[in-house]
Structure formats: structure tokens, C-alpha cells
Amino acid sequence: MAGRVCVVTGANRGIGLEVARQLARAGDTVLLTARDLAKAEKAAHGLGGTVEPRQLDVADRESVDAFARGVSHERVDVLINNAAIHYDTWQRASDADLGVVREALETNLLGAWRLTLALLPLLRAGRHGRVVNVSSEAGSLASMGAGTPAYGVSKAALNALTRMLAAELRRDRILVNAVCPGWVATDMGGPGGRPVAEGARSVLWAVDLPDDGPTGGFFRDGRPVPW
Ligand code: NAP
């Protein structure tokens, strides 16, 4: 499987950085992206293998377009939409600041959507494309209750997008899946969660799927999560 060209968003820290590390270690070429180029360069410096640091703010259309134009490879095999913001434990749907909701949607939903669209020609060229949307059980309608409204709605919408893209890109042999990494001890998850490497493994499972693997699913640790 090694030798793929992989794009990881929000890869300067947390799960994204660990995913980039493991892909590079496996022999893949990693476009390690961050909204701050200096942070991408610093993160890339600490990894072995073939890692290209790039500026990419998924909430900024110009940044996304410039990134896509600047990819020097003939194809992209793997896109990992990992960047996300606003795990808003401080508010509820019944008192939500809609400005926060809008920001969450801009990054967590539209950011992933925008970048996928921009990279589609390169993903199609790869012939074995994988799009992995890093979601969360907080976006599962089956277990949805009160709290984290901006985050939960943005991840539920990302899950819906996952199903649509999977159906539409199946004929291009691009597998599109949503994954939940579990509760992970990162800046977002806070202390007490599972180690970052375990969360990353849950993401990489969907990257490493064979061509006849599932598409349009929602998984944690390789097992289905209820929508
Ligand atoms: P994290 O430590 O907070 O890292 C988030 C990353 O996203 C950072 O690199 C951040 O960059 C980047 N980012 C934010 N907005 C961006 C934008 N507009 N453009 C590009 N990058 C942007 O979070 P994490 O825990 O690693 O989470 C990674 C993924 O796992 C997210 O999708 C999250 O929702 C999901 N997840 C996490 C947990 C958990 O327990 N940690 C549980 C379920 C799902 P800056 O450094 O510039 O801010």
C-alpha cells in the first residue's frame, strides 16, 4: 500500500499529526498541511520519510484553491479531512451562539467539502482514491442528545456529506467513509482520553481499505458506528 500521495488537514498537532507520522513511516508521501505554514514546517521537521509541509486553511477558499493548484503530484490517493474546531461543551442548542455554529460548519463541514471538491480531479486520477472524513460519535443522530450543538450538528452534516459523496464517487472507485477516532487525549479531547496513536489507528483503518472495501460507512476501530 505504501507509495501513496496523502493529504492530511490540521496535521500540525493532535490526531492529524500522528496520522501524518504513521503514513510517512509506512512509506507514503504526506502533504502535511496546517493553516500556519510555520507550524506545518515545524511538524514536518520532526517526522522521517517524505513529508511536504503546506499551508492550508480549509475555511478559506483562496487557501484551498492555492493549495490544490500547488500540488505537484499527478494524483492524490488519500485525502484525510481531519481539521475541526469548536467542541462547544460550554453551550446548548437552546442557548447557542449561532456565530459559533456558523464557524463550526465553515470548518468542519464546508472545509472538508470544499477541499474534496478542489482535489477531486487529482483523486480521480489516482484510481484508488480514499476520502476519510474524521467525524465523531457526537454527530450520530442515533445517540444525539443535549449539548455541543455546533460540533454535533457539524459532524452530523459531515456524515450526511460522506454518504452522498460515497454514492456519487463509487463509479470513480473512490471510497468515502466517516470515522470516529474515539475519545482521544489531544488539545480538543483533553486529558483522560485514549492515546493519540490509537485514535490515529482508527483513521488509518479507513485509509488502508482494499479496493473492494466499504464506502459510505461510519466506523470506529474498524467497526460500524450507528448513524
Ligand atoms: P486538535 O488537537 O484540536 O487539532 C485540530 C487541528 O485542526 C489543529 O491542527 C488545528 O490547527 C486544525 N484546524 C482547525 N481549524 C482549521 C482550519 N480552518 N484549517 C486547517 N486546519 C484547521 O483536535 P484533534 O483531537 O486532533 O481532532 C482531530 C479530529 O478528530 C477532528 O476532526 C475532531 O473533531 C475529531 N475527533 C476528536 C476527538 C477527540 O477526543 N480528540 C473525538 C472525536 C473526534 P491549529 O493548530 O492552527 O489550530
Side-chain angles (χ1 to χ4, degrees):
M1 288 256 198
R4 299 166 296 192
V5 177
C6 308
V7 174
V8 189
T9 68
N12 53 297
R13 60 189 168 97
I15 295 166
L17 174 58
E18 182 59 26
V19 165
R21 184 196 320 279
Q22 293 195 27
L23 289 170
R25 192 179 292 155
D28 293 310
T29 296
V30 181
L31 276 63
L32 186 159
T33 76
R35 50 185 165 180
D36 179 341
L37 177 59
K39 288 185 184 171
E41 287 171 341
K42 190 167 173 224
H45 191 67
L47 308 182
T50 309
V51 181
E52 303 176 13
R54 294 279 184 273
Q55 196 280 337
L56 176 57
D57 180 343
V58 299
D60 176 349
R61 203 183 72 193
E62 284 179 18
S63 170
V64 170
D65 289 346
F67 168 75
R69 274 197 309 274
V71 175
S72 59
H73 303 273
E74 286 172 357
R75 60 175 214 278
V76 167
D77 302 298
V78 176
L79 167 59
I80 301 172
N81 286 310
N82 166 78
I85 55 168
H86 290 343
Y87 184 58
D88 51 339
T89 51
W90 63 88
Q91 62 175 357
R92 296 161 71 88
S94 49
D95 65 12
D97 176 343
L98 295 186
V100 172
V101 177
R102 187 174 292 113
E103 285 174 1
L105 290 169
E106 194 60 60
T107 294
N108 303 0
L109 170 67
L110 297 178
W113 201 339
R114 183 181 286 123
L115 181 60
T116 306
L117 291 178
L119 291 182
L120 256 188
L122 289 167
L123 282 162
R124 286 190 168 114
R127 298 170 54 84
H128 305 276
R130 304 284 180 268
V131 176
V132 181
N133 291 328
V134 183
S135 184
S136 165
E137 195 168 6
S140 166
L141 295 176
S143 56
M144 194 163 288
T148 61
Y151 187 78
V153 167
S154 72
K155 294 296 192 181
L158 180 65
N159 287 353
L161 175 67
T162 300
R163 290 193 67 111
M164 287 178 204
L165 289 176
E168 294 175 18
L169 300 179
R170 190 188 294 266
R171 65 167 177 250
D172 296 312
R173 294 153 44 105
I174 298 172
L175 305 183
V176 186
N177 288 292
V179 296
C180 171
W183 175 31
V184 183
T186 60
D187 293 340
M188 180 183 282
R194 71 206 303 204
V196 179
E198 261 178 55
R201 214 164 23 243
S202 198
V203 177
L204 289 163
W205 174 85
V207 170
D208 290 335
L209 285 172
D211 286 346
D212 62 354
T215 189
F218 184 22
F219 300 94
R220 182 175 50 236
D221 298 329
R223 287 187 294 277
V225 177
W227 293 107

